[in-house]
Amino acid sequence: EYIEVKSAESYDKIIHKILSEVRVVDDLKPVINKYINLGFIKIEEKDKVLDILKAVVMHPELVQFYSRDAIIKNEIDIYTGSGKFLRPDRLILINNSVVILDYKTGKKLDKHRQQIRDYINLIADFGYTNVEGLLVYLGNDVEVVKVH
C-alpha cells in the first residue's frame, strides 16, 4: 500500500505503519531505513521521524512493552466469534498479563476508549484475567491513557 505524504493525516498513517513493524527498540532504525528506501520518508525527515518513534518506544510507561522479554503481536486479527475480527495495534504478553496498545492521533474521542474496552473484553473472553488497555496518543508529546 502506497501512502503519499501530502498531509498531516498521511504522515500519521506512515508513523502508524512503521510502529506496526517495530517489535523492539532495536527495530526502529532498520524499519525507518526501509521506509526511506521505499520513498515514504524523505532522508531529511529521518531524524524527525526517529525522534517521534523514540518518544513512543522509550516512553517511561511504554518502554517495557518494546522489550525482548515480552511476547509481542502487532496488528493481529482476533476473531470475536460473531463473524467479526478486531485488530489491536499491539498486543503484549508480559509477566502473566496482557497489555493492549492502540495508537491514536488527533483529538481524544470516547470511541477510542470504547474500542480499547472491546479489545479488553475480547481478550478476557479467552480466559486472561489480567488485561490492561492503553491508548497512546501521538502528537507533539506522547500521552498514554489507561483504559479499564
Side-chain angles (χ1 to χ4, degrees):
E1 172 184 350
Y2 182 76
I3 304 168
E4 191 174 345
V5 182
K6 288 190 176 179
S7 68
E9 182 181 340
S10 60
Y11 193 77
D12 292 343
K13 286 181 182 178
I14 290 172
I15 296 297
H16 194 275
K17 186 85 170 134
I18 291 171
L19 283 168
S20 77
E21 295 186 34
V22 171
R23 294 179 46 78
V24 296
V25 173
D26 293 341
D27 292 341
L28 279 179
K29 287 183 181 178
V31 174
I32 290 171
N33 287 335
K34 171 186 167 182
Y35 280 81
I36 289 169
N37 291 335
L38 290 171
F40 293 118
I41 299 171
K42 295 178 185 173
I43 191 75
E44 56 270 18
E45 293 177 330
K46 179 180 181 176
D47 290 338
K48 177 184 174 185
V49 171
L50 185 58
D51 287 346
I52 291 167
L53 296 170
K54 275 185 179 177
V56 174
V57 302
M58 301 303 287
H59 190 282
E61 293 179 69
L62 302 174
V63 69
Q64 67 179 326
F65 306 131
Y66 295 89
S67 154
R68 295 195 189 284
D69 296 332
I71 297 170
I72 299 162
K73 302 292 182 185
N74 287 336
E75 301 279 345
I76 187 168
D77 286 327
I78 304 169
Y79 185 63
T80 65
S82 62
K84 285 181 25 181
F85 287 90
L86 296 181
R87 182 185 289 178
D89 290 335
R90 189 173 185 91
L91 188 81
I92 307 111
L93 291 104
I94 188 168
N95 301 328
N96 296 320
S97 299
V98 178
V99 180
I100 302 159
L101 298 185
D102 212 57
Y103 308 113
K104 300 294 181 191
T105 56
K107 295 179 182 179
K108 293 182 192 118
L109 302 173
D110 287 339
K111 72 178 186 176
H112 297 162
R113 287 180 177 273
Q114 187 56 53
Q115 182 182 25
I116 286 285
R117 283 188 202 103
D118 291 345
Y119 296 154
I120 291 169
N121 292 334
L122 179 60
I123 298 302
D125 287 346
F126 286 106
Y128 292 96
T129 55
N130 193 4
V131 184
E132 180 180 13
L134 301 173
L135 287 165
V136 180
Y137 286 95
L138 309 172
N140 293 333
D141 295 310
V142 174
E143 184 179 354
V144 179
V145 177
K146 292 183 182 183
V147 179
H148 304 284

